Amino acid sequence: EGGMGAVYKARHKALDRIVCVKILSPALANDKKAVDLFITEARAIAELDHPNIVNVYNVGKEKGYYFIVMSFIEGQTLSAMLKKQKVLTTGLVLDLFDGVLQGLDAAHAKGIIHRDIKPSNILITPEGQAKVVDFGIAKKIEKDKSTTKTTELAGTAYFIAPEQALGRDLDTRADLYSIGASMYYVLTGHFPYSG
C-alpha cells in the first residue's frame, strides 16, 4: 500500500496467470488529478513492450474502483536487496543498471520520461533481471516539443534532477540524472548530496 493506493497479487481468470492489480485509493477516485496520473501510468506502460519494463494487460474502472492489471514480477526491489545484502558487487550493479538503461531507452524512444527512477522503483527478478516499475508520474513529451514542463514538484528528492526540483522543463536527461544518483547510492550507501 502507498499514498496512491494498493497493489494486490491476483489470478487473472481469462489469462490463467498470476498478475498484479494496482487499485487507486477510493479516497482519490473523485480527485481528477489523481485519476489522471493513474490513467497516465497505465497508458505510459501499455505503450512499452520491453523485457526491462513491467507489462500492462488492462486498465479500467469497475464499481467505482480504478485499476491497472500488470505482470506480476517475482523478486524484490533494488532497495530491499540493498537492505539485505548491504554491499552489492560492482559487476552486479552494472548489469542491473544496464537493464534499467535499456528499459528507459525504450521508454524515451516513445517519448516517455519516467521522472521517478530510484532503487525502490527497480524490481529485481530471481534471475537477476532489472524491471522498471511505477510510471505513476511519467510524462509524455509532446511530439512537437523536445521537453515537458512540470508545474509541480514530483519525484523523490534525493534522486531527482535539479531542473525537476526547480519545476523547469524536462527531457530524458532528467531520468539519466536519476539513474546516476541511484547508482551512486547503491554503490556507496550514501545519497549524492545531503540537505
Side-chain angles (χ1 to χ4, degrees):
E1 234 177 309
M4 290 287 285
V7 179
Y8 296 89
K9 181 179 177 182
R11 175 168 296 282
H12 192 293
K13 290 181 179 179
L15 297 175
D16 191 30
R17 68 168 60 162
I18 299 296
V19 295
C20 224
V21 181
K22 187 172 189 175
I23 298 178
L24 182 66
S25 170
L28 297 173
N30 293 320
D31 181 335
K32 184 179 177 343
K33 184 179 268 186
V35 171
D36 287 348
L37 278 174
F38 193 76
I39 300 301
T40 296
E41 174 181 12
R43 289 182 178 151
I45 305 171
E47 282 189 46
L48 306 172
D49 182 19
H50 193 275
N52 295 104
I53 296 177
V54 69
N55 297 94
V56 164
Y57 302 127
N58 197 5
V59 63
K61 182 180 179 185
E62 184 70 33
K63 297 180 182 175
Y65 292 95
Y66 289 92
F67 66 89
I68 304 172
V69 180
M70 299 177 280
S71 54
F72 174 75
I73 309 299
E74 196 73 52
Q76 61 186 328
T77 65
L78 182 53
S79 58
M81 177 186 269
L82 197 57
K83 283 179 184 169
K84 288 179 189 169
Q85 296 184 17
K86 301 290 183 218
V87 176
L88 304 179
T89 67
T90 304
L92 174 62
V93 173
L94 291 175
D95 287 346
L96 294 175
F97 278 92
D98 179 56
V100 172
L101 285 164
Q102 289 183 44
L104 283 176
D105 185 51
H108 293 167
K110 295 273 189 176
I112 297 167
I113 305 171
H114 188 284
R115 301 196 316 153
D116 198 20
I117 295 295
K118 58 186 176 183
S120 61
N121 282 341
I122 300 168
L123 287 180
I124 311 302
T125 68
E127 298 77 33
Q129 182 182 35
K131 296 217 179 230
V132 179
V133 299
D134 201 354
F135 280 74
I137 62 170
K139 286 285 184 187
K140 180 125 188 191
I141 300 172
E142 293 178 28
K143 296 204 184 312
D144 58 339
K145 296 181 180 177
S146 62
T147 62
T148 181
K149 178 74 172 169
T150 183
T151 55
E152 61 193 41
L153 179 60
T156 304
Y158 288 114
F159 301 106
I160 62 173
E163 63 272 22
Q164 187 172 347
L166 295 169
R168 295 188 180 152
D169 288 347
L170 298 181
D171 59 28
T172 56
R173 293 175 293 182
D175 281 348
L176 295 179
Y177 178 94
S178 296
I179 290 170
S182 296
M183 186 183 272
Y184 181 91
Y185 178 78
V186 170
L187 287 169
T188 67
H190 301 286
F191 297 114
Y193 57 87
S194 60

